[in-house]
């Protein structure tokens, strides 16, 4: 009941309701886990295709939000394992889509400070995949340690250890700017 | 104050680790509780950045572009180096050995012929090359053998064959 509690009280949510409730959240999640906008969009489409297939089956998960998150995390994991060759092949296509960074900083970025903003993102991207996944699910998505462990196939001790290391690195990046 | 938690211990506690004693200290110590609040605030900033701001994109393609260029350059250099080393250390091309081998065969044939058929010792003549090279010469054909090779080895008609062979090795008349 974590993700779609409002809609699932009386009847199961429709596909459209699930898309509306989780589409943006999953897009952001995949964007965080993959760092590549195009690739993350593809993964989100893949996830909702799987949702469509799963939706028609008689046995459906109780918590569609958690199910979608788990499928998205696994899909991102598979994408990363697909390796550098796929990314290398797409390299030429992607240059056209690049947003030039001469743009103005948003008010949020100005409030934080541009240096902090850059440092946090850089530190986040430098995290090992597992630490990034654990941090996103535990800290940003607010999952419990046990739920993260089940979703990623880890022991709870490993989840805590990954989270500790991720916190340490990100905090160092954030506090460096404020000092 | 010496028993206060380190930053590392605070971070570990926040991640769900740490011991009961550390947790008890955190609950009891105002200073550590304040530092923990600071940690939480920093993590909120991090979360805010990751959830609410766009990721800086421009540096990634530039880095990728340079990496691709470097990879292409290194590959080309290695290919040229490999080609150059191959050309430099390659042994000189040996001349075709076929004529030499043929000449050696002819010498062996002469020795065998002399040993087998010479009456007067080693002669200064030689077997006509054409006979060895082409068994279809008229001299061989006159032997009447079914197989031309027999003209130089064993014959179909032994007497006739031997005679023919001896005719082959008649010392040529030289002028003067």
């Amino acid at each position: 009941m974590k993700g779609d509690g409002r809609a699932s009280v009386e009847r199961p949510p429709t596909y459209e309701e699930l898309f509306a409730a989780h589409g943006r959240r999953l897009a952001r999640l995949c964007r965080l886990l993959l760092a590549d906008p195009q690739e993350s969009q593809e993964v989100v489409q893949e996830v909702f295709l799987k949702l469509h297939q799963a939706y028609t089956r008689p046995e459906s998960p109780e918590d569609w939000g958690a199910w979608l998150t788990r499928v998205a995390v696994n899909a991102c994991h598979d994408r990363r394992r697909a390796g550098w060759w796929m990314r290398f092949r797409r390299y030429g296509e992607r240059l056209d889509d690049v947003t030039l960074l001469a743009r103005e900083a948003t008010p949020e970025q100005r409030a934080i400070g541009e240096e902090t903003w850059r440092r946090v993102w850089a530190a986040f991207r430098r995290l090992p995949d597992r630490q990034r996944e654990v941090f996103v699910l535990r800290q940003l998505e607010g999952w419990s340690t046990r739920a993260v462990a089940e979703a990623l196939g880890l022991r709870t001790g490993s989840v805590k250890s990954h989270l500790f290391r991720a916190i340490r690195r990100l905090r160092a990046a954030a506090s460096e700017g404020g000092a | 104050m010496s028993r206060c938690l380190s930053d590392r211990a605070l971070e570990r506690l926040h991640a769900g680790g740490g011991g009961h004693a550390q947790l008890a200290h955190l609950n009891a110590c105002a200073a550590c509780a304040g530092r923990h609040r600071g940690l939480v605030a920093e993590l909120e900033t991090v979360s805010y950045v990751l959830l609410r701001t766009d990721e800086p994109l421009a540096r990634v393609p530039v880095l990728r572009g340079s990496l691709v260029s470097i990879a292409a350059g290194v590959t080309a250099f290695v290919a040229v180096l490999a080609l150059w080393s191959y050309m430099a250390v390659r042994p000189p091309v040996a001349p075709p050995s076929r004529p030499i081998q043929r000449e050696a065969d002819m010498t062996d044939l002469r020795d065998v012929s002399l040993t087998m058929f010479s009456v007067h010792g080693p002669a200064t003549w030689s077997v006509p090359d054409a006979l060895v090279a082409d068994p279809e010469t008229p001299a061989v054909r006159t032997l009447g053998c079914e197989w031309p090779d027999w003209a130089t080895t064993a014959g179909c008609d032994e007497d006739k064959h031997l005679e023919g062979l001896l005719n082959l090795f008649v010392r040529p008349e030289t002028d003067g």
Side-chain angles (χ1 to χ4, degrees), chain A residues 50-61:
Chain A
K50 284 182 180 169
L51 169 67
H52 191 264
Q53 291 163 350
Y55 197 77
T56 54
R57 289 189 202 128
E59 71 282 0
S60 56

Side-chain angles (χ1 to χ4, degrees), chain A residues 28 31-32 88 91 94-95 98-99 101 103 108-109 112 117-118 120-121 124-125 135 139-140 160 163-164 167-168 170-171 174-175, chain B residues 7-8 11-12 14-17 35 38-39 42-43 45-59 61 64-65 68:
Chain A
R28 192 189 60 219
R31 182 79 180 78
L32 285 171
F88 182 79
Y91 169 71
R94 212 182 298 122
L95 276 180
V98 170
T99 311
L101 254 199
R103 66 182 181 213
E108 291 90 355
Q109 288 160 10
I112 293 163
W117 167 63
R118 285 190 186 282
V120 167
W121 272 111
F124 180 73
R125 286 290 166 227
F135 185 83
Q139 181 75 27
L140 304 183
K160 290 174 185 172
L163 182 62
F164 162 68
I167 285 173
R168 194 154 180 75
L170 292 171
R171 194 188 168 205
S175 59
Chain B
D7 280 355
R8 202 180 170 84
E11 288 158 355
R12 198 175 284 281
H14 189 81
R35 285 169 54 225
L39 184 152
E42 283 168 2
L43 287 178
T45 303
V46 170
S47 302
Y48 185 85
V49 168
L50 296 177
L51 292 177
R52 305 280 174 182
T53 66
D54 296 329
E55 182 174 5
L57 287 174
R59 288 182 186 177
R64 281 186 185 158
V68 170

Side-chain angles (χ1 to χ4, degrees), chain A residues 132-156:
Chain A
R132 197 181 309 130
E133 286 170 356
V134 167
F135 185 83
V136 167
L137 292 178
R138 183 82 180 84
Q139 181 75 27
L140 304 183
E141 291 283 317
W143 284 27
S144 69
T145 301
R146 180 175 293 185
V148 175
E150 283 174 11
L152 299 181
L154 299 171
R155 289 177 297 139
T156 53

